[in-house]
Amino acid sequence: MTEGVKPNRGSEPPSRDGRRTRWTKHRQERRAEFVEAAMCVLAEIGPEFGIEQVAVEAGVTKPVLYRHFSDKADLVEAMGERATEILLDRLIPALNSEEAPLPRIRKSIDAVLGTLEEYPNLYWVLARQGHGGDAVVRADKEIIATALSALLGDYLRAFGLDSGAAEPWAYGVVGLVQNTAEWWLERRSMSRDSVTEYLTTLVWAAIDGFARQRDVVIDPNVPLEINRVIQLSPGSTSGARSGTPDTDPTGTDAEPGSGQR
C-alpha cells in the first residue's frame, strides 16, 4: 500500500445530514410551539389577532416568528393543520366505536360539535377570515366525507344492499352537520346536547328509512354483529388528505346481511 494514502473504508465520513435532521426537528417543534401560542391568542382576542400578539405570547420577537412563517396566512394554515389533527383525533375513534348504531352516530356528531365549541374562534378564522383557512375546512370536509363514504359502503354491502348511495349520503351528512354546527355556533339558542340529539335523530331516520324500504330492519340500540372501522393514512393529517381512507372489517365470522333484522 502506498505510504501516506489512507485505505478506502467503503464509507464516507459523517456528513452534516445528522445536524440537518436535528435542525429540521427543531424547526418543527418551534413551529408547533408558535401554533399553540397563536391558538391561545386567537381564543382570547378573536379572529382579528395579529402576528405581534402571537410573538408576545410565545416570548419571541416578530423576526423570530417570521423565520418560521412567511406571513399570517402561513400561520393560519399551520393552525388549520393542527385543527384537523384535533378534530380527527376525536372523530375517528367515535366513528369506529364498537357500539350500537345510535350511540355511535351520537358520539360522532358530538365529537364534531364538541371540537367547534372548544375552538369556535379557530373555526371562524378558518372558515370565514380568508388567509387560506377556507381551503383547510374544505379539505377536512373531504377527509370526513370520504371516510364516512367508505364506512357506509362497507355496511351497505354487508347487508346485501347497493352501495351506490354511500358517497352522496356521506357528503349529505357532512353538510348537514357542518351547516347545523355553524348555525348553532352563531345562535347558541339551545344546548349542545339538544343539537346533538336532533342531528342524531335525523341521521338515524335516514338510515332506518333507507334500510326498511329494502326489507332490512336494524335495531338502533344493539351492536351489529359485524364491525367496520375507518383507517386513515398513518402519520400526519397531510398524509390523510392525500390518501383515501380504507375500512378494516372485523368480526369476519359474520355473514353479509347478518346484522339485526
Side-chain angles (χ1 to χ4, degrees), residues 62-232:
K62 284 175 65 176
V64 170
L65 203 61
Y66 279 123
R67 292 176 196 164
H68 297 268
F69 304 96
S70 57
D71 51 24
K72 184 176 179 179
D74 190 21
L75 175 58
V76 169
E77 183 177 354
M79 294 167 70
E81 292 173 358
R82 176 62 183 140
T84 299
E85 292 176 356
I86 294 170
L87 176 59
L88 294 184
D89 283 348
R90 300 179 183 188
L91 177 59
I92 298 305
L95 284 171
N96 287 341
S97 61
E98 295 185 31
E99 296 186 70
L102 206 58
R104 193 172 181 180
I105 294 169
R106 186 180 293 113
K107 277 190 173 182
S108 300
I109 292 172
D110 189 62
V112 174
L113 294 179
T115 304
L116 296 185
E117 183 179 43
E118 187 173 347
Y119 300 96
N121 285 337
L122 180 57
Y123 179 77
W124 292 130
V125 80
L126 294 173
R128 296 187 176 179
Q129 295 296 315
H131 306 296
D134 53 340
V136 175
V137 174
R138 288 195 301 272
D140 287 353
K141 289 171 63 177
E142 189 73 20
I143 293 170
I144 297 169
T146 301
L148 186 57
S149 177
L151 187 66
L152 289 172
D154 272 358
Y155 276 117
L156 288 170
R157 286 185 290 272
F159 282 107
L161 302 176
D162 179 12
S163 62
E167 191 167 13
W169 202 349
Y171 277 86
V173 169
V174 170
L176 169 67
V177 174
Q178 185 195 13
N179 289 335
T180 304
E182 283 198 4
W183 164 83
W184 175 66
L185 280 179
E186 288 184 321
R187 301 288 185 86
R188 300 297 182 111
S189 56
M190 63 179 66
S191 68
R192 174 176 131 200
D193 287 344
S194 295
V195 178
T196 298
E197 203 58 40
Y198 286 136
L199 286 174
T200 299
T201 300
L202 287 172
V203 172
W204 172 248
I207 295 173
D208 187 48
F210 181 89
R212 286 179 183 273
Q213 285 181 351
R214 290 151 181 82
D215 299 321
V216 175
V217 179
I218 307 170
D219 190 327
N221 297 303
V222 176
L224 299 173
E225 294 178 20
I226 50 174
N227 186 46
R228 300 290 195 245
V229 298
I230 296 168
Q231 289 185 324
L232 292 177

Side-chain angles (χ1 to χ4, degrees), residues 40-72:
C40 289
V41 171
L42 176 61
E44 182 178 348
I45 296 176
E48 301 304 324
F49 75 97
I51 287 287
E52 185 171 354
Q53 292 162 317
V54 176
V56 171
E57 175 69 22
V60 298
T61 61
K62 284 175 65 176
V64 170
L65 203 61
Y66 279 123
R67 292 176 196 164
H68 297 268
F69 304 96
S70 57
D71 51 24
K72 184 176 179 179

